[in-house]
Amino acid sequence: MTTHLGPLAPTRQWLRAHPLATDAVLALGALVSMVVGSFADPHGPHGPAFGTRTPEPFSLLLMLLGAGALVFRRLRPRTVLAATCALSLAELTTGEPRAPVAMCAVMALYTVAARTDRPTTWRIGLLTMAGLTGVAMLAGPLPWYAQENIGIFAWTGMAAAAGDAVRSRRAFVDAIRERAERAERTREEEARRRVAEERLRIARDLHDVVAHHIALVNVQAGVAAHVMDKRPDQAKEALAHVRDASRSALNELRATVGLLRQSGDPEAPTEPAPGLAVLDELVDTFRHAGLPVQVIVQLGRDRDPLPAAVDLAAYRVIQEALTNVRKHAGVEVRAEVSVVRVGASVEVTVLDDGGSGVEPAPEGPDDGDEGGGHGLLGMRERAGALGGSCFAGPRYGGGYRVHAILPVA
């Protein structure tokens, strides 16, 4: 800002930081102007003449007192206006020749108008205009139609109008500045919200990928270790599934991390996003891991295809639910998956019978909520982001049930 103010920038900054000193300089200028103007005679033989008259000592005292009052015009604007009006009335009724003491009242009225509201400005302005002009016309030594009397009316009216205009402009500028600051804060909050949402989305995707594949790797590795000595062929098959699951996990992690590391626009993916179209492949991975899964999909052939977000959410809910079944259910467990389109929603249900032997873990690492995991929490967030809901809890008679409702619209 200082580069645009030129060599007077330090002086202006100092005056802005010391308003009382600024008003003192202004009052001194007003005093000099009033004293110089008091030596001018507007009714000379050949028009206005300077130096043809001399102000009275009482008029000089009134001008000095008026200028002194202007020093405090911003601290006590109404008090200063009342004082300067009183000094002006004294000059208007006694001064001959008349000195321009009313200039102090004009400046004080401008200050009041610039620092108050419009109704107050016009009430005080009309009262000041009527009072000074009426006294000058009726009680002054000059005729009521004298130019000096009309000049008092005009100067006080212009002071009130100018102060009101300055106040309005200042309020307008402050409103624009406030809106700009509010818009900036809104943009920053929106940016933070978008970053938080993106972090949650990435966290959910990474959790779904890692939890699913690592669970399968863990199960197949346990099978391989158990049958390595007695049934090496089955152990090799299990290790092959471990290799496939780990390769799939690495590929998905590499794709996700690659998108995060790109500085520009991400390249178009070479593979479609997971969805119900590859549900059979997902279910086969669990079947290879020893989890029998029965699947029922009824979406209606005559209906429009599911939106991509709904398709992905349904896939991820099934993936997470079956992963939890594989990790936390008992032995010989069986699972059922149903995807049914009901009205304007898609209902996804994953059931298991609990198996036998080992009971399901009530608060496993991926059971969300109080257990501290993120699996069920991620499913609820996915459903909630689409305006749907997701419920998970034990079934009557044993087992677990996950039910998600995903609106299509």
Side-chain angles (χ1 to χ4, degrees):
M1 180 65 71
T2 57
T3 57
H4 299 284
L5 295 178
L8 296 179
T11 303
R12 295 184 180 180
Q13 291 179 351
W14 186 88
L15 292 175
R16 190 178 295 111
H18 302 81
L20 196 63
T22 304
D23 291 338
V25 173
L26 181 63
L28 179 60
L31 177 61
V32 173
S33 300
M34 288 187 294
V35 172
V36 173
S38 63
F39 285 91
D41 183 9
H43 302 289
H46 301 288
F50 182 78
T52 58
R53 67 175 183 172
T54 303
E56 297 179 354
F58 182 68
S59 297
L60 291 175
L61 177 61
L62 293 178
M63 287 186 286
L64 181 61
L65 293 176
L70 289 177
V71 176
F72 307 99
R73 66 186 185 93
R74 279 191 277 190
L75 296 178
R76 299 291 182 87
R78 298 192 184 187
T79 302
V80 171
L81 176 61
T84 54
C85 285
L87 295 173
S88 301
L89 291 175
E91 173 63 22
L92 291 174
T93 56
T94 62
E96 179 59 35
R98 184 183 293 176
V101 181
M103 182 182 296
C104 299
V106 171
M107 297 178 63
L109 178 59
Y110 166 83
T111 304
V112 171
R115 301 175 70 86
T116 186
D117 57 272
R118 178 165 294 172
T120 304
T121 295
W122 289 111
R123 283 197 299 267
I124 295 178
L126 290 175
L127 180 62
T128 303
M129 294 166 58
L132 294 180
T133 306
V135 170
M137 289 182 174
L138 301 177
L142 298 177
W144 68 270
Y145 53 84
Q147 295 181 357
E148 289 86 341
N149 298 336
I150 304 301
I152 293 174
F153 180 83
W155 279 105
T156 51
M158 287 190 295
D164 182 71
V166 170
R167 179 197 55 78
S168 300
R169 182 182 181 278
R170 188 182 297 132
F172 177 72
V173 172
D174 291 341
I176 292 178
R177 184 181 296 110
E178 181 183 359
R179 285 197 296 269
E181 293 175 354
R182 186 167 59 248
E184 183 66 23
R185 290 193 301 268
T186 303
R187 284 195 295 269
E188 293 176 356
E189 293 172 357
E190 179 68 15
R192 287 194 293 267
R193 185 186 64 81
R194 289 180 179 272
V195 169
E197 290 179 352
E198 187 65 14
R199 289 176 59 185
L200 286 176
R201 187 190 65 80
I202 294 173
R204 285 196 300 265
D205 289 342
L206 288 176
H207 174 271
D208 292 341
V209 171
V210 173
H212 166 62
H213 292 293
I214 296 303
L216 295 182
V217 168
N218 181 46
V219 171
Q220 295 291 356
V223 172
H226 182 69
V227 301
M228 180 67 71
D229 297 331
K230 298 181 179 180
R231 288 176 287 178
D233 293 339
Q234 188 176 354
K236 290 181 180 180
E237 183 180 356
L239 291 176
H241 292 311
V242 169
R243 180 185 59 199
D244 295 338
S246 60
R247 182 186 297 114
S248 298
L250 289 174
N251 290 337
E252 294 196 36
L253 286 175
R254 187 181 298 112
T256 302
V257 174
L259 290 176
L260 295 178
R261 293 176 61 89
Q262 289 180 5
S263 58
D265 295 333
E267 297 178 359
T270 56
E271 296 182 359
L276 297 179
V278 294
L279 180 60
D280 292 338
E281 299 178 8
L282 174 67
V283 172
D284 286 341
T285 61
F286 287 100
R287 289 170 177 164
H288 292 319
L291 174 64
V293 182
Q294 181 180 358
V295 179
I296 299 176
V297 178
Q298 296 179 353
L299 297 178
R301 295 182 180 180
D302 56 341
R303 297 196 177 187
D304 296 333
L306 297 180
V310 176
D311 195 29
L312 175 61
Y315 178 89
R316 292 302 189 190
V317 168
I318 297 172
Q319 182 185 49
E320 179 61 30
L322 291 179
T323 301
N324 287 338
V325 172
R326 180 66 274 179
K327 290 171 62 177
H328 305 307
V331 296
E332 298 182 359
V333 63
R334 292 180 176 274
E336 298 179 5
V337 176
S338 66
V339 182
V340 181
R341 187 161 181 174
V342 180
S345 301
V346 172
E347 297 189 8
V348 179
T349 306
V350 180
L351 308 174
D352 70 84
D353 56 10
S356 61
V358 181
E359 293 295 330
E363 293 184 356
D366 289 309
D367 289 341
D369 298 345
E370 295 86 352
H374 304 284
L376 296 183
L377 179 62
M379 287 191 286
R380 293 191 180 105
E381 288 177 349
R382 287 186 181 277
L386 298 174
S389 61
C390 181
F391 168 80
R395 298 173 60 194
Y396 178 77
Y400 212 75
R401 176 176 182 265
V402 175
H403 182 70
I405 300 178
L406 307 175
V408 175

